[in-house]
Amino acid sequence: MLMSTTDVIIGKDIDETLGLVKGNSVQSRNFGRDMIAGLRNIVGGEVKAYAEMLVRSREIATKAMTEEAQRLGANAIVGVRFSTSSVMDGTSEVLAYGTAVKLKL
């Protein structure tokens, strides 16, 4: 599955637009990570546990988006975007979305 953050894929022509596809992942933090994050907040630096959690969330959301595009018969997704938000205290959501298309072969 080709993916692009732009509305086109250079060198390829879009034959058909199939519609919006999306995938999301909601992850909860745990007490141990929160304690480490609190300490890291005091002394500064990267909070690797949270960074790793967001990487996993993006991978899960991207996979779900790709699977939805495949079900529609797409061979590419254009205009791919990611969004993050806090769903409730202690949880984070990553949303991946874009437009599923069929490229001319």
Side-chain angles (χ1 to χ4, degrees):
M1 178 75 58
L2 291 174
M3 285 187 267
S4 174
T5 58
T6 62
D7 293 331
V8 296
I9 296 178
I10 302 298
K12 305 285 184 181
D13 292 323
I14 294 175
D15 190 40
E16 185 178 355
T17 299
L18 302 171
L20 175 70
V21 288
K22 65 264 174 232
N24 71 323
S25 173
V26 177
Q27 300 281 320
S28 65
R29 302 179 303 227
N30 68 37
F31 182 71
R33 284 186 186 154
D34 284 347
M35 285 183 55
I36 293 169
L39 291 173
R40 185 64 72 184
N41 211 12
I42 293 169
V43 298
E46 181 182 10
V47 183
K48 291 184 181 185
Y50 287 147
E52 291 167 3
M53 181 182 73
L54 288 172
V55 167
R56 280 193 312 278
S57 290
R58 277 193 301 275
E59 290 170 354
I60 292 166
T62 300
K63 183 175 188 250
M65 176 183 64
T66 302
E67 289 171 351
E68 185 175 340
Q70 287 171 335
R71 284 192 297 275
L72 292 175
N75 58 6
I77 305 171
V78 296
V80 173
R81 301 288 185 269
F82 292 94
S83 174
T84 59
S85 64
S86 178
V87 177
M88 57 187 245
D89 192 34
T91 63
S92 296
E93 176 189 36
V94 173
L95 172 66
Y97 59 97
T99 303
V101 297
K102 282 187 182 179
L103 299 176
K104 291 182 183 177
L105 301 177

